[in-house]
Amino acid sequence: MLLEVQGLTKHFGGVAAVRDVGFKVIEGTIFALIGPNGAGKTTVFNLITGMLQPDGGSINFLGKRIDGLKPYQIAAAGITRTFQNLQLFSGMTVLENVMTGAHLKGKTGFVKSILRRPGINAEDKQIIEQSMALLGEVGLDSSADLPAAALPFGRQRLLEIARALASGPRLVLLDEPAAGLNSTETKTLARFLKKLRENGLTMVLVEHDMETVMEVADRILVLNFGRGIAEGTPAEVQADPEVIRAYLGEDEQIA
Amino acid sequence: MSDQLLQLLFSGLTLGSIYSLIALALVTTFNITGVLNLALGEFAAIGALLAISLYATGMPLIAAFILSIVLVAIMGGVLERAAIYPARRASGLTLIIITIGLSISLRGLALLIWGTDTYSLPAFSKGGPFFIGGAALNPQSIWILGLAVLTLSLLYAFFELTYAGRAVKAAVINRTAARLVGINPSTVSFWAFVGSGALGAAAGIFIAPVTMTTYDMGFMLGIKGFVAAVIGGLSNVGGAVLGGLLLGVLESYSAGLISSGLKDALAIIILLAVLLLRPQGILGVLGERKI
Amino acid sequence: MDRFRCLMKIKKTFLWPAAVLLFLALPLVIDSNYLISVLIVIGLYTIIVQGLGILMGYAGQVSFGHGGFFGLGGYAVAIMTTRYGWHPVLALLAAIILPGLIAAIIGRPTLKLRELYLAMGTMGFGILIHTMFNEAGELTGGPSGIAGIPYLTIGGLTFDNDIKFFYLIWAVVLLVLFGINNLIRSRVGRALRAISESEHAAETAGIDTGKLKLKAFIFSALLAGLAGGLYAFYVTFVSPAPFGFNTSVQFVLMAVVGGLGTFLGPLLGAALVVLLGELLRWAIPLVIPGAGGEYEIIFFGLILVVLMIYRPEGLGAFGKISKSPMEKTPAASDVGLPESG
């Protein structure tokens, strides 16, 4: 088991944004979190990556508890993420974004950086090569020297994924990677995610585009009002009456 | 000995009331606008110096006060429109740098107009001090305490009893909701600066008879108001008032019993200690935004 | 076309060394101690503001206490040489290390707090240090300061006149520029820029942002101390006056004027502000009879306000696409609020 979430709970003020959520992610699969707006999906991501601290429950990654760790420690443990509203380093170039994503692969510290001879040393050279290869995979290698902000929106999403991959993580959390993409871009994205899975990468996905979710996800957890209401394969979830109710919102039995 | 302690308590409370008033203006503005106005001490200094100059023209004392308060209130409004409003979308850091820029400019302006001389204002009422338990209480101290109580009551009445006050309070809690009920945050911000100009000036004028009034007195006053606000948790009005009184008393005791050179350093030491050890304030509750 | 490009490249490669050489030749041409001393002051401030620029423009933090670190460096040299008879080079080392240590102590807790608290914490520290210079009479000489600091001697070389100091200071400036140029193009530099762009994204890329901010803060304090030590050797006298809060604000102004997050912005900012100060010192008495240079602070304050409102990216940031680290980032919406999705 790569990731194991148990009894995860988070309150904002008096409101429970996430209540007793639990799920397991098997290595080499794509796991999707779906649910209506405000269901708590991004909060789950923020809890897993340590950007928020849970009020209850536990998160285990590779058999070790990671809740309570700082975000950078969780990144070092092997979990990276993308953001729903892009968080690119917009003033840096496309290549620099990916190189920064590979921060954990480097070792050069503050003092060493200052004393470095001009030019690029061996470590940077290696990181540049790897970053360029990654950019090639998402088709951004020709834009490597452009500022990230100059990319069209769809490509910025791809760049964020490339940045999240750059440190060689075991698990990547993708927060609505298809939001704002057109249908061609969405299809390319789905193909890319499947290819990543073939290479052995594990992913957790928050996504509103049901077509993409049903196509790529191995298992799906449906959240509603911060609570897990159904879990299963895409086919099982689609047939679940409670899921249909939650999505159509025909009654609000949850206070 | 106990006479001396009581005496120090009186002077500490007098001084502390002034810090409380500055802290009050600081915190109220911060809550309403999100801007920490570090030029507030300058409002107090300019208020006091203006009143002194106006009084020197032969104007009655009371008229000099009122005119000075009005002028500084106008200055507060003008500065808000000129420097805060255009940067309202900027980060908190930018806004701090702006108010620090304003404060050093105002201080420079005060130096230009009033020079480095020390001015003073006659006490508001004649007559000797009252004696309570062997300690002397200046009439001016009573004026200052009275101003603090009056200001607190007025602020309380405004925020709890008037429609406009409650609406501003609502705006603090929820900006979107405030917009929905027709409150314009930029108007509120303007009036917050006008109000803090008036309050700052009043604090400066009331303390003028018992302190040395110089062009740069606003600097330490502003810092001490901030320290008082930080002791109280920065966004808590009650905490700011208590923080001011606490700071005043501590200063008074340390100056009276240990060394007077320590007085200004003490406030800074308290500031650093609170920031480093207990940033949510000694009296405040983290994350609470109250008016 | 290729030949043209080649020419351009040659031009680019030789432009900077040529400019530097030309600059270094200035003392041979200028026969004015006043102008040389202005250039020395610009150099000293450049050392400080380059460090402050790393803190403000890259790590996205602000300090209103660097006047205090500058002073600590100056007083460290003054006290160690005159009171304890330390060798000037050792005293200069102390001037660098002491501010660094103090920055490490006050920076660790303060940097964890909101930006506002760092601003106020450093401001408080700066004022406290300034008060100490004034009050700790036995150690610091009180308001009248410490005189009789010996000249700096390195090896057999004694820096005992302005021209020698010009070369010393600007050699240090070049070294600092060289180091900072290395830094900002390195892994650490990218991480620093990442903090100012999006702290959340930086953290999830595995960057320990708190530690890195602390290092940037310490680095900037070390440079301020170095400049303070050199200043003490230059004027051979220290007093509390030049290390007060206004000085700290001036350093922030220099960093902002030159353009935050740019390599040469601090140099530009230091030069512009020093020259403007000199101009005002000359011009103000013409307009206001009897007035001295102390009114320059009015203009510095106003310039700071106007810049922060209308051009927070500074004057040096032409064609820079990056948003200023001083601008509000939308990052807050990603954390802390109940989600929108």
Side-chain angles (χ1 to χ4, degrees):
Chain A
M1 203 59 55
L2 191 69
L3 180 74
E4 205 170 338
V5 175
Q6 276 173 336
L8 197 62
T9 301
K10 178 73 189 177
H11 297 273
F12 291 115
V15 188
V18 173
R19 255 191 297 184
D20 200 22
V21 167
F23 59 92
K24 293 172 180 178
V25 181
I26 299 165
E27 181 138 33
T29 63
I30 298 181
F31 189 93
L33 289 172
I34 63 169
N37 279 329
K41 304 181 298 288
T42 296
T43 306
V44 170
F45 271 19
N46 287 339
L47 290 167
I48 295 175
T49 51
M51 291 167 70
L52 292 175
Q53 296 302 322
D55 296 326
S58 67
I59 303 165
N60 282 280
F61 180 66
L62 288 165
K64 275 191 211 116
R65 262 191 95 147
I66 57 164
D67 49 292
L69 294 184
K70 299 240 170 67
Y72 73 90
Q73 292 168 321
I74 290 170
I79 303 178
T80 60
R81 70 172 289 181
T82 66
F83 296 84
Q84 183 189 332
N85 52 341
L86 290 167
Q87 296 273 320
L88 283 173
F89 308 130
S90 43
M92 296 160 74
T93 68
V94 169
L95 176 63
E96 283 172 331
N97 265 273
V98 180
M99 288 172 75
T100 310
H103 184 81
L104 287 164
K105 283 191 171 170
K107 284 193 181 62
T108 317
F110 209 103
V111 177
K112 229 175 154 186
S113 295
I114 292 172
L115 301 178
R116 182 181 76 167
R117 287 183 299 115
I120 295 158
N121 67 16
E123 181 182 290
D124 257 14
K125 210 169 166 184
Q126 204 183 358
I127 288 173
I128 288 175
E129 271 168 25
Q130 288 169 356
S131 302
M132 284 306 290
L134 202 51
L135 283 174
E137 280 183 51
V138 294
L140 285 173
D141 45 346
S142 57
S143 318
D145 292 327
L146 287 182
L151 290 181
F153 187 78
R155 303 196 139 218
Q156 295 195 8
R157 283 234 178 266
L158 285 176
L159 175 58
E160 242 203 18
I161 297 175
R163 186 180 68 188
L165 295 173
S167 62
R170 296 284 292 271
L171 173 68
V172 177
L173 312 182
L174 300 163
D175 199 347
E176 296 199 27
L181 300 191
N182 63 33
S183 59
T184 326
E185 287 171 331
T186 307
K187 288 205 177 74
T188 318
L189 174 76
R191 231 177 296 135
F192 182 57
L193 296 185
K194 284 194 264 185
K195 197 179 128 203
L196 288 173
R197 177 175 54 191
E198 275 166 36
N199 295 341
L201 184 71
T202 316
M203 282 162 275
V204 179
L205 190 69
V206 163
E207 188 49 68
H208 276 301
D209 183 64
M210 280 310 130
E211 211 177 311
T212 309
V213 172
M214 296 306 161
E215 187 188 340
V216 303
D218 298 297
R219 283 190 81 76
I220 297 174
L221 172 66
V222 187
L223 292 179
N224 195 22
F225 291 103
R227 191 179 284 238
I229 56 168
E231 196 196 322
T233 63
E236 286 165 8
V237 164
Q238 269 173 309
D240 192 305
E242 200 170 346
V243 174
I244 296 166
R245 246 204 318 279
Y247 265 85
L248 297 178
E250 62 175 40
D251 78 9
E252 313 272 336
Q253 76 275 46
I254 299 163
Chain B
M1 185 63 198
S2 76
D3 289 359
Q4 194 203 354
L5 291 182
L6 192 63
Q7 184 72 62
L8 290 173
L9 180 69
F10 286 163
S11 57
L13 287 176
T14 308
L15 211 58
S17 299
I18 293 297
Y19 301 157
S20 292
L21 286 171
I22 308 249
L24 204 58
L26 208 61
V27 167
T28 310
T29 319
F30 182 62
N31 277 348
I32 295 175
T33 64
V35 178
L36 191 66
N37 180 14
L38 296 172
L40 243 167
E42 265 49 58
F43 289 5
I46 290 177
L49 290 165
L50 258 181
I52 288 165
S53 292
L54 290 171
Y55 179 64
T57 63
M59 198 180 271
L61 202 54
I62 180 83
F65 296 169
I66 294 174
L67 189 54
S68 161
I69 289 174
V70 168
L71 286 174
V72 178
I74 293 172
M75 184 180 86
V78 168
L79 289 179
E80 197 277 341
R81 281 298 110 161
I84 306 296
Y85 178 77
R88 64 197 175 283
R89 277 186 250 286
S91 71
L93 207 54
T94 305
L95 287 163
I96 291 177
I97 298 179
I98 288 174
T99 65
I100 285 183
L102 286 179
S103 97
I104 65 169
S105 288
L106 288 175
R107 202 152 55 239
L109 200 66
L111 173 65
L112 190 64
I113 298 172
W114 286 284
T116 52
D117 301 339
T118 303
Y119 297 83
S120 70
L121 199 61
F124 293 3
S125 49
K126 292 184 185 77
F130 306 97
F131 287 91
I132 302 171
L137 185 61
N138 261 316
Q140 189 64 29
S141 294
I142 296 172
W143 278 104
I144 291 171
L145 292 169
L147 174 70
V149 172
L150 178 74
T151 311
L152 262 181
S153 325
L154 281 179
L155 275 177
Y156 179 82
F158 174 70
F159 284 116
E160 297 300 329
L161 305 177
T162 69
Y163 177 75
R166 283 203 299 261
V168 170
K169 229 170 99 167
V172 170
I173 294 162
N174 188 329
R175 282 172 192 238
T176 327
R179 243 178 237 281
L180 290 178
V181 296
I183 295 175
N184 184 349
S186 119
T187 313
V188 173
S189 163
F190 174 75
W191 287 108
F193 271 79
V194 171
S196 57
L199 190 50
I205 295 167
F206 273 65
I207 202 180
V210 292
T211 187
M212 288 185 289
T213 308
T214 53
Y215 80 98
D216 60 352
M217 75 184 248
F219 183 58
M220 280 322 282
L221 266 184
I223 297 217
K224 286 172 185 174
F226 177 76
V227 175
V230 167
I231 293 176
L234 198 57
S235 50
N236 183 323
V237 168
V241 172
L242 287 177
L245 294 176
L246 188 67
L247 179 63
V249 171
L250 280 177
E251 271 190 2
S252 174
Y253 279 124
S254 73
L257 303 176
I258 307 167
S259 144
S260 59
L262 205 68
K263 210 181 109 187
D264 284 351
L266 181 78
I268 307 282
I269 291 169
I270 293 175
L271 171 69
L272 289 174
V274 174
L275 287 184
L276 301 187
L277 305 175
R278 213 180 140 74
Q280 68 271 44
I282 292 174
L283 308 163
V285 181
L286 186 67
E288 202 176 33
R289 272 164 80 99
K290 269 201 242 162
I291 288 207
Chain C
M1 191 66 194
D2 268 348
R3 172 169 293 191
F4 176 71
R5 265 197 199 152
C6 209
L7 267 171
M8 286 300 285
K9 203 171 174 187
I10 289 171
K11 231 174 158 181
K12 249 188 165 166
T13 327
F14 287 101
L15 194 67
W16 283 112
V20 169
L21 281 179
L22 215 65
F23 181 80
L24 291 179
L26 274 180
L28 309 176
V29 191
I30 302 176
D31 190 24
S32 152
N33 271 339
Y34 167 70
L35 281 179
I36 299 278
S37 71
V38 168
L39 289 174
I40 290 173
V41 170
I42 291 174
L44 281 170
Y45 286 168
T46 301
I47 296 170
I48 300 164
V49 185
Q50 285 287 350
L52 194 58
I54 292 291
L55 183 71
M56 288 181 69
Y58 289 87
Q61 307 296 308
V62 73
S63 164
F64 281 105
H66 267 53
F69 290 124
F70 181 45
L72 271 180
Y75 272 93
V77 160
I79 291 169
M80 288 310 168
T81 53
T82 61
R83 302 249 197 281
Y84 297 99
W86 281 26
H87 188 275
V89 174
L90 278 181
L92 188 59
L93 271 179
I96 300 168
I97 292 166
L98 181 67
L101 277 179
I102 289 181
I105 293 166
I106 66 165
R108 189 175 284 277
T110 339
L111 284 159
K112 283 192 195 140
L113 308 172
R114 279 189 297 165
E115 49 199 14
L116 186 128
Y117 287 101
L118 182 68
M120 297 312 294
T122 49
M123 177 173 163
F125 157 76
I127 297 167
L128 187 64
I129 285 287
H130 190 238
T131 313
M132 213 193 72
F133 293 155
N134 265 316
E135 299 290 332
E138 281 165 35
L139 190 67
T140 62
S144 51
I146 300 171
I149 300 167
Y151 286 117
L152 179 62
T153 41
I154 302 172
L157 193 60
T158 303
F159 294 89
D160 53 4
N161 66 38
D162 276 17
I163 293 187
K164 283 183 190 167
F165 255 100
F166 172 89
Y167 285 111
L168 173 71
I169 302 284
W170 282 91
V172 174
V173 171
L174 284 177
L175 274 177
V176 167
L177 286 176
F178 174 75
I180 283 180
N181 189 34
N182 283 343
L183 179 71
I184 60 182
R185 292 192 305 169
S186 74
R187 167 176 177 270
V188 177
R190 285 191 296 273
L192 280 168
R193 283 153 72 197
I195 294 179
S196 70
E197 298 259 9
S198 162
E199 197 162 337
H200 291 319
E203 279 266 332
T204 47
I207 296 163
D208 184 349
T209 56
K211 203 167 154 191
L212 196 53
K213 282 188 218 167
L214 180 63
K215 286 181 180 173
F217 186 54
I218 294 171
F219 176 66
S220 68
L222 293 174
L223 286 184
L226 169 66
L230 291 171
Y231 168 86
F233 283 121
Y234 174 54
V235 296
T236 67
F237 162 75
V238 290
S239 70
F243 306 124
F245 177 65
N246 282 353
T247 308
S248 295
V249 177
Q250 251 184 63
F251 293 155
V252 171
L253 174 66
M254 289 170 184
V256 172
V257 165
L260 290 172
T262 57
F263 172 50
L264 288 175
L267 172 64
L268 182 69
L272 283 176
V273 173
V274 169
L275 292 176
L276 179 70
E278 291 303 314
L279 186 73
L280 289 172
R281 205 165 293 172
W282 168 79
I284 289 173
L286 300 183
V287 185
I288 310 160
E294 64 269 23
Y295 302 112
E296 67 190 22
I297 201 72
I298 304 179
F299 295 91
F300 287 167
L302 286 178
I303 294 166
L304 192 58
V305 170
V306 171
L307 267 179
M308 289 318 286
I309 297 173
Y310 297 105
R311 214 181 154 75
E313 71 275 30
L315 299 175
F318 295 115
K320 191 167 162 274
I321 293 169
S322 166
K323 61 173 188 275
S324 156
M326 293 289 134
E327 268 170 60
K328 203 175 255 180
T329 50
S333 59
D334 238 298
V335 152
L337 297 167
E339 64 175 303
S340 58

Coordinates of all heavy atoms in Angstrom, one line a residue, chain A residues 7-11 16-23 33-36 38-41 43-44 221-231 242-243 246 253-255, chain C residues 339:
Chain A
G7 N -9.6 8.0 8.7 CA -10.3 8.9 9.6 C -10.0 10.3 9.5 O -10.0 11.1 10.5
L8 N -9.6 10.8 8.4 CA -9.1 12.2 8.2 C -10.2 13.2 8.5 O -11.3 13.1 7.9 CB -8.5 12.3 6.8 CG -7.6 13.5 6.6 CD1 -6.4 13.4 7.4 CD2 -7.3 13.6 5.1
T9 N -9.9 14.1 9.3 CA -10.9 15.1 9.7 C -10.3 16.5 9.8 O -9.2 16.7 10.3 CB -11.5 14.8 11.1 OG1 -12.1 13.5 11.0 CG2 -12.6 15.8 11.5
K10 N -11.0 17.5 9.3 CA -10.5 18.9 9.4 C -11.7 19.8 9.5 O -12.6 19.8 8.7 CB -9.7 19.2 8.1 CG -9.2 20.7 8.1 CD -8.1 20.9 9.1 CE -7.7 22.3 9.2 NZ -6.6 22.5 10.2
H11 N -11.6 20.7 10.5 CA -12.7 21.7 10.7 C -12.1 23.1 10.3 O -11.0 23.4 10.5 CB -13.1 21.8 12.2 CG -13.7 20.5 12.7 ND1 -15.0 20.2 12.6 CD2 -13.1 19.4 13.3 CE1 -15.3 19.0 13.1 NE2 -14.1 18.5 13.5
A16 N -17.1 21.3 9.5 CA -16.2 20.2 9.1 C -16.0 20.2 7.6 O -17.0 19.8 6.9 CB -16.8 18.9 9.6
A17 N -14.9 20.5 7.1 CA -14.6 20.5 5.7 C -14.3 19.1 5.2 O -14.7 18.7 4.1 CB -13.4 21.4 5.3
V18 N -13.7 18.3 6.1 CA -13.4 16.9 5.8 C -13.8 16.1 7.1 O -13.4 16.5 8.2 CB -11.9 16.7 5.5 CG1 -11.6 15.2 5.4 CG2 -11.6 17.4 4.2
R19 N -14.6 15.0 6.9 CA -15.0 14.3 8.1 C -14.8 12.8 7.9 O -15.4 12.2 7.0 CB -16.6 14.5 8.3 CG -16.9 15.4 9.5 CD -18.3 15.4 9.8 NE -19.1 15.9 8.6 CZ -20.4 16.0 8.7 NH1 -21.1 15.7 9.7 NH2 -21.1 16.5 7.6
D20 N -13.9 12.3 8.7 CA -13.7 10.8 8.8 C -13.5 10.2 7.4 O -14.2 9.2 7.0 CB -14.9 10.2 9.5 CG -14.6 8.8 10.0 OD1 -13.4 8.5 10.2 OD2 -15.5 8.0 10.1
V21 N -12.6 10.8 6.6 CA -12.4 10.3 5.2 C -11.3 9.2 5.3 O -10.2 9.5 5.9 CB -12.0 11.4 4.3 CG1 -11.5 10.9 3.0 CG2 -13.2 12.3 4.0
G22 N -11.4 8.1 4.6 CA -10.4 7.1 4.6 C -10.3 6.5 3.2 O -11.4 6.3 2.5
F23 N -9.1 6.2 2.7 CA -9.0 5.5 1.5 C -7.6 5.0 1.4 O -6.7 5.4 2.1 CB -9.4 6.3 0.3 CG -8.5 7.6 0.1 CD1 -7.4 7.6 -0.7 CD2 -9.0 8.8 0.7 CE1 -6.7 8.8 -0.8 CE2 -8.2 10.0 0.6 CZ -7.1 10.0 -0.2
L33 N -10.5 11.5 -6.7 CA -11.4 12.0 -5.7 C -12.4 12.9 -6.5 O -12.0 13.8 -7.2 CB -10.7 12.9 -4.7 CG -9.8 12.3 -3.7 CD1 -9.1 13.4 -2.9 CD2 -10.6 11.4 -2.7
I34 N -13.7 12.5 -6.4 CA -14.7 13.4 -7.1 C -15.8 13.8 -6.1 O -15.8 13.3 -5.0 CB -15.3 12.7 -8.3 CG1 -16.1 11.5 -7.9 CG2 -14.3 12.3 -9.3 CD1 -17.0 10.9 -9.0
G35 N -16.6 14.7 -6.5 CA -17.6 15.2 -5.6 C -18.0 16.6 -6.0 O -17.3 17.3 -6.7
P36 N -19.2 17.1 -5.5 CA -19.6 18.4 -5.9 C -18.7 19.5 -5.3 O -17.8 19.2 -4.5 CB -21.0 18.5 -5.2 CG -21.3 17.1 -4.8 CD -20.1 16.4 -4.7
G38 N -17.1 22.1 -3.0 CA -17.2 22.2 -1.6 C -17.2 20.9 -0.8 O -17.4 20.8 0.3
A39 N -16.9 19.8 -1.6 CA -17.0 18.5 -0.9 C -15.8 18.2 -0.1 O -15.8 17.2 0.7 CB -17.2 17.4 -2.0
G40 N -14.7 19.0 -0.2 CA -13.6 18.7 0.6 C -12.4 18.1 -0.1 O -11.4 17.7 0.5
K41 N -12.4 18.1 -1.4 CA -11.4 17.4 -2.2 C -10.0 18.1 -2.1 O -9.0 17.4 -1.8 CB -11.8 17.3 -3.7 CG -13.2 16.6 -3.9 CD -13.5 16.5 -5.3 CE -13.7 17.8 -6.1 NZ -14.9 18.6 -5.7
T43 N -9.2 20.2 0.1 CA -8.7 20.1 1.5 C -8.0 18.8 1.8 O -7.0 18.8 2.5 CB -10.0 20.3 2.4 OG1 -10.7 21.5 2.1 CG2 -9.5 20.4 3.9
V44 N -8.5 17.7 1.3 CA -7.8 16.4 1.4 C -6.4 16.5 0.9 O -5.4 16.1 1.5 CB -8.6 15.3 0.7 CG1 -7.7 14.0 0.7 CG2 -9.9 15.0 1.5
L221 N -13.1 7.7 -5.2 CA -13.8 7.9 -4.0 C -14.7 9.2 -4.2 O -14.2 10.2 -4.7 CB -12.8 8.2 -2.9 CG -13.4 8.7 -1.5 CD1 -14.2 7.6 -0.8 CD2 -12.2 9.2 -0.6
V222 N -15.9 9.0 -3.8 CA -16.9 10.2 -4.0 C -17.0 10.9 -2.6 O -17.3 10.2 -1.6 CB -18.2 9.7 -4.5 CG1 -19.1 10.9 -4.8 CG2 -18.1 8.8 -5.7
L223 N -16.8 12.2 -2.6 CA -16.9 12.9 -1.4 C -18.2 13.8 -1.5 O -18.4 14.4 -2.6 CB -15.7 13.8 -1.1 CG -14.4 13.2 -0.8 CD1 -13.3 14.3 -0.6 CD2 -14.5 12.4 0.5
N224 N -18.9 14.0 -0.4 CA -20.0 14.9 -0.4 C -20.0 15.5 1.0 O -20.0 14.8 2.0 CB -21.3 14.2 -0.7 CG -22.4 15.2 -1.1 OD1 -22.1 16.4 -1.4 ND2 -23.6 14.8 -0.9
F225 N -20.0 16.9 1.1 CA -20.0 17.6 2.4 C -18.9 17.0 3.3 O -19.1 16.7 4.4 CB -21.4 17.5 3.1 CG -22.4 18.3 2.4 CD1 -23.4 17.7 1.6 CD2 -22.4 19.7 2.4 CE1 -24.3 18.4 0.9 CE2 -23.4 20.4 1.8 CZ -24.3 19.8 1.0
G226 N -17.7 16.8 2.7 CA -16.6 16.4 3.5 C -16.6 15.0 3.9 O -15.7 14.5 4.6
R227 N -17.5 14.2 3.4 CA -17.6 12.8 3.9 C -17.5 11.9 2.6 O -18.1 12.2 1.6 CB -18.9 12.6 4.6 CG -19.1 11.3 5.3 CD -20.4 11.4 6.0 NE -20.4 12.2 7.2 CZ -20.7 11.8 8.4 NH1 -21.0 10.6 8.6 NH2 -20.7 12.6 9.4
G228 N -16.9 10.7 2.8 CA -16.8 9.8 1.7 C -18.2 9.1 1.6 O -18.6 8.5 2.6
I229 N -18.8 9.1 0.5 CA -20.1 8.4 0.4 C -20.1 7.2 -0.5 O -21.0 6.3 -0.4 CB -21.2 9.4 -0.1 CG1 -20.8 10.0 -1.5 CG2 -21.5 10.5 0.9 CD1 -22.0 10.7 -2.2
A230 N -19.0 7.0 -1.3 CA -18.9 5.8 -2.1 C -17.5 5.6 -2.6 O -16.8 6.6 -2.8 CB -19.9 5.9 -3.3
E231 N -17.1 4.4 -2.7 CA -15.8 4.1 -3.3 C -15.9 2.8 -4.1 O -16.6 1.9 -3.7 CB -14.7 3.9 -2.1 CG -13.3 4.0 -2.7 CD -12.3 3.5 -1.8 OE1 -12.4 3.7 -0.5 OE2 -11.3 2.9 -2.3
E242 N -26.5 6.6 -4.3 CA -26.2 7.7 -3.4 C -25.4 8.8 -4.1 O -25.5 10.0 -3.9 CB -25.5 7.3 -2.1 CG -25.6 8.3 -1.0 CD -25.2 7.8 0.3 OE1 -25.0 6.6 0.5 OE2 -25.0 8.7 1.2
V243 N -24.5 8.3 -5.0 CA -23.7 9.2 -5.8 C -24.5 10.0 -6.7 O -24.4 11.2 -6.9 CB -22.6 8.4 -6.6 CG1 -21.8 9.3 -7.5 CG2 -21.7 7.6 -5.6
A246 N -26.2 12.6 -4.8 CA -25.3 13.7 -4.4 C -25.1 14.6 -5.6 O -25.0 15.8 -5.4 CB -24.0 13.1 -3.9
Q253 N -29.9 15.3 2.9 CA -30.2 14.6 4.1 C -29.1 14.9 5.1 O -29.3 14.6 6.3 CB -30.4 13.1 3.9 CG -29.1 12.3 3.7 CD -28.7 12.3 2.3 OE1 -28.7 13.3 1.6 NE2 -28.4 11.2 1.7
I254 N -28.0 15.5 4.7 CA -26.9 15.8 5.6 C -27.1 17.2 6.2 O -27.2 18.2 5.5 CB -25.6 15.7 4.9 CG1 -25.4 14.3 4.4 CG2 -24.4 16.1 5.9 CD1 -24.4 14.1 3.4
A255 N -27.2 17.3 7.5 CA -27.4 18.6 8.1 C -26.3 19.5 7.9 O -25.1 19.1 8.1 CB -27.7 18.4 9.6
Chain C
E339 N -12.4 24.8 0.4 CA -12.1 24.8 -1.0 C -13.2 25.2 -1.8 O -14.4 25.3 -1.4 CB -11.8 23.3 -1.4 CG -13.0 22.5 -1.2 CD -12.7 21.1 -1.7 OE1 -12.4 21.0 -2.9 OE2 -12.8 20.1 -0.9

